[in-house]
Amino acid sequence: MRSRILIVILSILVSAVSATDVSGAISSNTTWSTANSPYVVTGNILVSSGVTLTIEAGVTVKFSGSYYFYVDGTLIARGNSGSLITFTSNQALPQKGDWKYIKFRDSATDASFSNGSYSSGSIMEYCVVEYGDNNRDDGTNEYYTGM
């Protein structure tokens, strides 16, 4: 019994230590993998124009403050029904407004479809976006996720 408790405690400690801190501009093609999840956002994120950020199914992205996630390039976040991608708060007691929002700006690569199937460009499928603040600086809500 004691060995089981010790294994559980060690598992929790290892998962807490294995988080990957991220912030700033992503200026080369990058993949956020489940092996390095969760990703803890410690500053604003910008996916630069001409660059692709791919987030694998099952990844969790936790925002540790009032940070935004801008996409000027391509964001491919394709979870599946059995393995969602989650954008959430890193607070102990999460609530709406713990982080800013995800915004696809005008220079972001639009999704393309062929015969109804995704072929390229920015896409978010099977993603949970929670505890963000959907309000823009001008008080409107358009273009933002995180409601």
Side-chain angles (χ1 to χ4, degrees), residues 85-128:
I85 295 170
T86 303
F87 296 86
T88 190
S89 170
N90 195 36
Q91 302 304 312
L93 299 170
Q95 58 186 345
K96 181 186 180 301
D98 281 347
W99 59 282
K100 292 278 188 183
Y101 42 74
I102 299 169
K103 181 180 182 186
F104 293 86
R105 299 199 293 190
D106 289 341
S107 61
T109 307
D110 293 335
S112 295
F113 294 85
S114 177
N115 296 320
S117 295
Y118 168 79
S119 58
S120 65
S122 293
I123 189 167
M124 293 178 70
E125 286 184 310
Y126 290 97
C127 293
V128 174

Side-chain angles (χ1 to χ4, degrees), residues 14-144:
V14 168
S15 68
V17 171
S18 65
T20 304
D21 290 348
V22 291
S23 68
I26 298 171
S27 55
S28 62
N29 293 342
T30 302
T31 299
W32 290 358
S33 68
T34 53
N36 294 318
S37 184
Y39 289 82
V40 177
V41 177
T42 59
N44 296 321
I45 297 284
L46 168 66
V47 179
S48 299
S49 182
V51 172
T52 299
L53 171 61
T54 303
I55 302 177
E56 294 181 347
V59 166
T60 298
V61 180
K62 297 181 173 187
F63 289 79
S64 63
S66 187
Y67 303 120
Y68 59 75
F69 190 119
Y70 281 162
V71 181
D72 284 347
T74 304
L75 173 63
I76 301 173
R78 298 185 77 193
N80 58 61
S81 60
S83 191
L84 303 175
I85 295 170
T86 303
F87 296 86
T88 190
S89 170
N90 195 36
Q91 302 304 312
L93 299 170
Q95 58 186 345
K96 181 186 180 301
D98 281 347
W99 59 282
K100 292 278 188 183
Y101 42 74
I102 299 169
K103 181 180 182 186
F104 293 86
R105 299 199 293 190
D106 289 341
S107 61
T109 307
D110 293 335
S112 295
F113 294 85
S114 177
N115 296 320
S117 295
Y118 168 79
S119 58
S120 65
S122 293
I123 189 167
M124 293 178 70
E125 286 184 310
Y126 290 97
C127 293
V128 174
V129 182
E130 60 187 7
Y131 303 115
D133 183 356
N134 66 323
N135 291 317
R136 293 174 41 161
D137 294 334
D138 63 6
T140 63
N141 294 328
E142 62 184 330
Y143 306 119
Y144 293 85

